[in-house]
Amino acid sequence: MSVWTLYEVFVRSKHGLNHKHVGSVHAADSAMAIENARELYTRRSEGVSLWVVPSALITASSPDEKDPLFAPADDKVYRHASFYELPEEVGHM
Amino acid sequence: MNTQEDLIQYLLLLGDTALVQGQRLCQWCGRAPAIEEELALMNVGLDLVGQARNWLEYAAELLNDGRDADDLAFRRDEREYRNLLLVEQPNGDFAVTMTKQFLYDAWHYQVLEGLCTSSDTRIAGIAAKSLKEVTYHLRRSGEWVQRLGDGTEESRRRMLEAIPQVWRFTVEMLSGSDGETRLARTGFAADPARVAAGWSQQVATVFASVELPVPAAANYFYLSGRRGLHTEHLGLLLAEMQYLPRAYPDATW
Amino acid sequence: MYAQLVETGVKRIKSLDEMSAEERNFQEKIDAEIKIEAKNWMPEAYRQTLIRQISQHAHSEIVGMLPEGNWVTRAPSLKRKLQLMAKIQDEAGHGLYLYSAMETLGADRDQEIDKLHSGKAKYSSIFNYPTLSWADMGAVGWLVDGAAIVNQVVLQRTSYGPYSRAMIRICKEESFHQRQGYEMLLTMMRHGTQAQKDMVQDSIDRLWWPALMMFGPSDDNSPNSAQSMAWKIKRQSNDELRQRFVDQTIPQLELLGCTVPDPDLKWNESRGHYDFGEIRWDEFYEVLKGNGPCNQERVATRRKAIEDGAWVREAAVAYARKQQNKNAA
């Protein structure tokens, strides 16, 4: 049947915000993918900017690697401001 | 004729053409070549019916005879309709549909661009809003003409058959009525000569990009949408569209 | 419910002890209300059940455009025309959101649509009933979308992330559909002529029972429900949802000044719910099997659209390829 490409769609909902993944569309080329994404994901003024990328080009981290990739960050409390206790006289910092 | 009457005729031309094209697009519902295209066709239709409502509301106000936009849409006979002949033609296959859409969009774009600076601020306002929508319509239909014109052998063959089928009706895009010319002179309407030139250039550019031959300028003179002399297709289209208000004249929907 | 009868292929639910480590880990996540995402390990039966359910749901949205398409060219005013066009557009959009969620499971949209066109895949039985008057556009919005919403609100909490997110989006957009339908009927009942009022009542008479059938077989005859509930694909039983729909709809019906064709319908004080009559299950299963009033037409229309459109889709691909080659050269 049709051999249109699957594209992942990212929408920037407002100026100043990141593009966020919302789903996918089928299209023959990227121009059509932008238009199809516009019809599908921004019918109610949900966006000011669109990205489309062929799904096949996305590399995702594997859930099997979740621990080696992300767990090591969990105990690095010194990366967070709340780790450092200062006397009250210092005020807001 | 005074300006008021010219203006009413002009608003009916804009409103009726958008409405009839919108109605043709409704007929694609559930039958489009891809689901994505269902959304896209309906979106264009939605824009056009919305625009038609704006133009017909204004026309009804100027007519000031107790009729509203719905009365104008649903209770006028084909002889009173002022739409371009092109848009009332049957949808045919997707090549015919997109050819019609593109030829109309190219004209529509030129007209609205001219109207953005109309000396009638109400018209200028509606035009400015509509132009944004139609810019997108034109981009889309132009792309489809290119895709089909330079796609497969079959799609090209279908385009080469579609263009001559509807081309004769483009004669209405090349000249306006006397009323339009009068309105243009006072800055109310888009200048028909400029619309014609812009339209011809736009069509030539897109056709040339995929080596579709542009037929010689149409010189069809038998019928005229602007004078309410339509092809047989409009009557049936209206019979379907107007069925409920005609069958239940006292109803409230 | 848009997916009325979804096979799980599971005869008996395994206990945690009988499960492999992977299965147990998966089930524990489900039990802890942690959403399953596309790349997570999942039992093959869970994946297949979801593909069946989401595709049925998507097919229903797409086929659901047809009964409305039957009237969109005859809408009685510009306002009603615009509303109906916007609604139909949403149906197509919702079909696409759902196919998109389904594709994250590795299913191919075109293959699943082929199953619809060959009669192998199901879709909601409701769309196999004809729309015979303009009032049906109101009744479809109010009753059919109303029934769908009851189901979909619960499905927002379904265990598969992409399906749940599609449901959240759909529920947000669909809230206008039911209101639009009801307002349309209310206008006819309050301001319309006698002919219009008769039209509304006739429409409710024809669509009431098919709307109740949308929730699927009764719980006694729902062998697949237990597994779907254990996986939290499904969150509430068919009968619970059907009861909720009846309870919330009858007061709206009374406000309209209409009746439903059920002599057994009455408020049951002790249950705190409405009692209602027995659904004609033979009719339900016949329609689901493909023998309803419009099954053949609906499937044939969709098949023809996609077959007739093949040359268009191919042309678009051929053109894209040529452009790519041009740019590469």
Side-chain angles (χ1 to χ4, degrees):
Chain A
M1 242 169 75
S2 98
V3 269
W4 286 7
T5 307
L6 186 65
Y7 286 81
E8 297 301 320
V9 180
F10 301 80
V11 177
R12 184 204 292 282
S13 58
K14 266 195 286 193
H15 287 293
L17 295 184
N18 289 327
H19 283 77
K20 201 172 143 197
H21 182 247
V22 290
S24 59
V25 290
H26 286 218
D29 55 46
S30 49
M32 194 199 276
I34 287 280
E35 287 162 19
N36 290 348
R38 179 243 192 205
E39 312 283 5
L40 187 57
Y41 293 104
T42 66
R43 289 199 302 293
R44 289 175 169 82
S45 324
E46 293 96 333
V48 293
S49 163
L50 280 169
W51 289 349
V52 293
V53 57
S55 310
L57 295 185
I58 290 185
T59 308
S61 65
S62 155
D64 302 339
E65 296 170 319
K66 193 170 144 239
D67 282 349
L69 283 177
F70 308 116
D74 291 348
D75 60 357
K76 311 292 192 291
V77 285
Y78 36 80
R79 285 192 175 123
H80 300 277
S82 57
F83 178 71
Y84 301 92
E85 275 184 35
L86 297 179
E88 266 191 28
E89 305 90 276
V90 179
H92 179 73
M93 185 183 275
Chain B
M1 260 196 227
N2 63 32
T3 306
Q4 179 93 339
E5 275 172 54
D6 286 341
L7 205 51
I8 291 167
Q9 291 301 311
Y10 191 54
L11 292 169
L12 291 177
L13 163 73
L14 296 170
D16 292 349
T17 303
L19 180 57
V20 171
Q21 179 68 6
Q23 176 74 357
R24 282 287 181 221
L25 288 170
C26 283
Q27 293 175 336
W28 270 102
C29 176
R31 290 157 180 82
I35 303 169
E36 280 80 0
E37 210 46 38
E38 296 280 353
L39 272 145
L41 292 169
M42 198 54 97
N43 219 16
V44 174
L46 202 55
D47 287 344
L48 291 175
V49 176
Q51 292 175 19
R53 183 161 71 158
N54 290 333
W55 296 126
L56 294 180
E57 271 170 2
Y58 191 19
E61 282 173 37
L62 295 180
L63 277 165
N64 196 24
D65 59 5
R67 286 186 291 175
D68 62 12
D70 280 331
D71 293 325
L72 292 181
F74 294 95
R75 294 178 201 237
R76 273 181 306 148
D77 290 332
E78 53 195 283
R79 292 285 283 110
E80 298 164 274
Y81 256 72
R82 293 291 176 262
N83 63 281
L84 297 179
L85 299 171
L86 176 75
V87 297
E88 73 198 37
Q89 301 313 305
N91 283 333
D93 65 8
F94 200 66
V96 174
T97 289
M98 275 304 146
T99 302
K100 281 198 304 169
Q101 184 74 48
F102 170 67
L103 295 173
Y104 167 54
D105 290 343
W107 175 83
H108 202 187
Y109 179 88
Q110 295 296 329
V111 170
L112 292 174
E113 200 182 41
L115 288 181
C116 283
T117 52
S118 170
S119 35
D120 182 308
T121 51
R122 172 99 172 254
I123 291 183
I126 299 173
K129 186 178 161 290
S130 306
L131 183 63
K132 287 183 195 159
E133 296 171 342
V134 172
T135 303
Y136 183 74
H137 301 174
L138 177 60
R139 165 182 157 172
R140 238 184 59 84
S141 61
E143 284 172 359
W144 269 116
V145 165
Q146 292 175 316
R147 286 190 193 108
L148 300 180
D150 190 23
T152 59
E153 251 175 65
E154 180 181 5
S155 71
R156 185 169 176 83
R157 174 181 62 73
R158 285 176 186 259
M159 278 305 286
L160 291 172
E161 283 169 16
I163 295 166
Q165 253 185 61
V166 296
W167 188 259
R168 62 189 185 282
F169 302 112
T170 61
V171 72
E172 291 190 297
M173 279 131 183
L174 298 174
S175 59
S177 63
D178 294 344
E180 274 163 73
T181 308
R182 279 195 295 273
L183 286 173
R185 222 175 286 137
T186 49
F188 277 90
D191 175 12
R194 281 186 61 176
V195 170
W199 179 84
S200 300
Q201 201 198 344
Q202 177 76 44
V203 172
T205 306
V206 170
F207 278 23
S209 70
V210 287
E211 290 167 33
L212 284 170
V214 181
N219 59 1
Y220 183 84
F221 53 82
Y222 306 99
L223 303 172
S224 159
R226 285 183 174 88
R227 285 187 288 129
L229 287 166
H230 291 276
T231 59
E232 290 175 346
H233 304 294
L234 183 66
L236 287 168
L237 178 142
L238 293 182
E240 183 181 17
M241 188 177 87
Q242 299 179 335
Y243 148 69
L244 281 169
R246 300 273 199 172
Y248 301 89
D250 305 322
T252 306
W253 305 102
Chain C
M1 184 168 180
Y2 279 1
Q4 292 161 308
L5 215 167
V6 184
E7 294 284 333
T8 55
V10 175
K11 296 273 173 284
R12 190 180 64 85
I13 303 171
K14 285 185 190 169
S15 67
L16 280 178
D17 300 338
E18 295 171 285
M19 291 178 183
S20 68
E22 277 172 324
E23 282 176 307
R24 197 174 316 131
N25 182 275
F26 170 83
Q27 189 62 48
E28 279 165 0
K29 259 193 192 167
I30 299 257
D31 294 342
E33 299 288 335
I34 297 171
K35 293 268 180 274
I36 306 301
E37 295 297 336
K39 298 241 163 206
N40 293 145
W41 184 90
M42 60 185 84
E44 195 48 28
Y46 175 84
R47 181 188 301 276
Q48 293 306 329
T49 301
L50 271 173
I51 291 174
R52 270 192 294 269
Q53 170 152 345
I54 302 175
S55 65
Q56 272 190 37
H57 200 152
H59 299 334
S60 300
E61 297 280 359
I62 299 302
V63 175
M65 295 167 64
L66 299 176
E68 291 177 329
N70 182 39
W71 281 94
V72 71
T73 52
R74 291 179 286 173
S77 70
L78 294 168
K79 180 179 89 175
R80 294 297 183 206
K81 200 177 193 72
L82 289 165
Q83 289 172 347
L84 189 58
M85 290 169 85
K87 179 166 187 270
I88 293 172
Q89 210 192 15
D90 276 350
E91 324 281 7
H94 297 169
L96 288 177
Y97 295 156
L98 287 159
Y99 284 128
S100 168
M102 181 198 76
E103 288 187 291
T104 63
L105 292 156
D108 179 77
R109 182 174 110 187
D110 296 334
Q111 277 175 17
E112 295 306 316
I113 289 178
D114 267 347
K115 289 183 196 164
L116 169 72
H117 295 172
S118 63
K120 267 183 262 168
K122 294 190 185 74
Y123 55 90
S124 181
S125 57
I126 188 75
F127 301 119
N128 291 314
Y129 290 85
T131 48
L132 299 177
S133 77
W134 173 254
D136 287 10
M137 294 303 98
V140 164
W142 172 47
L143 295 175
V144 175
D145 287 80
I149 290 167
V150 165
N151 176 55
Q152 289 173 169
V153 162
V154 184
L155 279 176
Q156 293 180 100
R157 295 189 295 118
T158 194
S159 59
Y160 185 57
Y163 190 25
S164 153
R165 290 190 288 272
M167 279 296 113
I168 290 170
R169 207 180 173 97
I170 288 173
C171 282
K172 208 158 86 185
E173 296 187 356
E174 236 168 44
S175 56
F176 105 81
H177 294 183
Q178 193 187 12
R179 291 170 71 99
Q180 179 224 211
Y182 190 68
E183 189 257 345
M184 207 187 271
L185 298 181
L186 205 57
T187 304
M188 286 195 257
M189 291 307 293
R190 293 209 165 152
H191 309 291
T193 60
Q194 189 56 45
Q196 286 182 289
K197 291 176 188 173
D198 295 345
M199 207 186 268
V200 172
Q201 184 59 57
D202 170 65
S203 180
I204 295 171
D205 287 345
R206 281 182 289 108
L207 290 170
W208 174 251
W209 287 111
L212 292 192
M213 291 177 199
M214 288 174 69
F215 295 91
S218 65
D219 294 350
D220 309 337
N221 288 307
S222 218
N224 297 294
S225 285
Q227 180 63 75
S228 274
M229 301 269 267
W231 281 331
K232 297 191 179 172
I233 292 177
K234 214 170 150 165
R235 308 282 327 220
Q236 272 182 307
S237 83
N238 295 350
D239 285 336
E240 279 172 335
L241 293 169
R242 188 165 15 241
Q243 182 71 59
R244 181 175 309 157
F245 173 71
V246 171
D247 289 348
Q248 75 180 38
T249 304
I250 296 304
Q252 298 162 0
L253 175 87
E254 286 165 355
L255 199 69
L256 278 178
C258 293
T259 56
V260 290
D262 180 359
D264 297 323
L265 184 103
K266 62 171 182 301
W267 177 251
N268 182 326
E269 191 63 50
S270 61
R271 285 205 312 130
H273 292 292
Y274 282 95
D275 290 338
F276 54 96
E278 185 71 11
I279 287 171
R280 287 191 46 185
W281 293 113
D282 51 346
E283 175 178 332
F284 169 76
Y285 287 109
E286 275 303 298
V287 179
L288 214 59
K289 256 193 286 176
N291 303 324
C294 299
N295 295 59
Q296 289 192 21
E297 289 86 345
R298 300 290 189 238
V299 170
T301 302
R302 287 307 308 150
R303 187 170 50 224
K304 187 170 174 352
I306 295 305
E307 281 173 8
D308 287 357
W311 70 270
V312 176
R313 300 190 302 278
E314 281 159 20
V317 173
Y319 178 76
R321 204 168 296 141
K322 285 184 196 175
Q323 291 301 109
Q324 223 166 18
N325 292 343
K326 253 184 230 170
N327 291 341

